[in-house]
Amino acid sequence: MKKIGILLFSILILSCSSDDSSGNSNQNGFTFNGTFYEVKTVYINDENTTDSNPSDIGFSLVNKTSAEINSGNDLTNVATLNFDFNAVNVEQTTYTNILDYNGKINANRTSGSISGGTEILSDNETTLQANNISVTINNITSTTVNFTFSFTRTDGQTISGQYNGNYLTL
């Protein structure tokens, strides 16, 4: 009888799917201080598409849909993460030399400008600077991108996440 109980318990444990939402292993977004922030829209902007000279290529991640962003309406509870690197093209590689970055949570957008909220990452603020950065582009096409990222601040806090989906250009 004890063996049957152990067998039934093992089957029960193995057959249960994990619905732990704290891992967010398949969701688009980033985690900061134990909280997950979903990313609904990614913009990629290449400042120079006319020749083969390197230029800034910017990534902007936002927790609002493009329809919300383009509506012109004021928005609350905005989470955003922005970074750029200097390159000719976005390639499938890992970028670690990212000098321009910032992030905010719980911000507002009023009349098109982001204000308030909590700054979580900033190359301009000593206490919010990252000393270890990794952005890995796994795949990119003319309409989709798959990448992972991690910014470890000098105080040890990490902002990390992933995105796999469509992107927009500015």
Side-chain angles (χ1 to χ4, degrees):
M1 187 59 131
K2 185 176 181 182
K3 288 182 184 179
I4 293 173
I6 292 172
L7 179 62
L8 289 174
F9 180 75
S10 297
I11 291 170
L12 177 65
I13 292 297
L14 293 174
S15 66
C16 290
S17 66
S18 172
D19 56 359
D20 178 10
S21 62
S22 64
N24 300 303
S25 62
N26 294 322
Q27 292 186 4
N28 291 330
F30 61 91
T31 300
F32 171 70
N33 202 22
T35 301
F36 180 75
Y37 298 89
E38 183 179 12
V39 169
K40 295 180 180 179
T41 306
V42 168
Y43 293 96
I44 299 177
N45 181 43
D46 184 350
E47 292 184 9
N48 178 17
T49 58
T50 59
D51 58 36
S52 61
N53 291 322
S55 66
D56 285 346
I57 298 175
F59 279 59
S60 295
L61 293 67
V62 187
N63 70 330
K64 303 296 181 184
T65 66
S66 61
E68 290 173 301
I69 294 166
N70 294 324
S71 71
N73 295 332
D74 292 345
L75 301 172
T76 61
N77 200 27
V78 176
T80 182
L81 183 64
N82 306 288
F83 57 87
D84 61 54
F85 50 88
N86 197 269
V88 174
N89 297 305
V90 180
E91 298 179 4
Q92 293 179 17
T93 190
T94 298
Y95 297 93
T96 58
N97 189 21
I98 297 175
L99 303 176
D100 187 13
Y101 53 84
N102 62 66
K104 276 192 168 195
I105 55 174
N106 304 319
N108 299 310
R109 187 185 78 172
T110 307
S111 300
S113 296
I114 301 292
S115 63
T118 303
E119 201 166 20
I120 61 170
L121 188 65
S122 174
D123 60 273
N124 292 321
E125 179 66 42
T126 304
T127 59
L128 300 177
Q129 290 177 344
N131 59 2
N132 190 359
I133 300 171
S134 177
V135 175
T136 300
I137 308 296
N138 300 307
N139 190 34
I140 186 161
T141 70
S142 61
T143 58
T144 64
V145 65
N146 176 332
F147 65 98
T148 59
F149 55 91
S150 178
F151 292 81
T152 302
R153 296 187 332 196
T154 55
D155 64 2
Q157 285 276 22
T158 299
I159 297 99
S160 62
Q162 67 181 22
Y163 183 83
N164 184 12
N166 292 330
Y167 66 89
L168 302 171
T169 57
L170 295 175

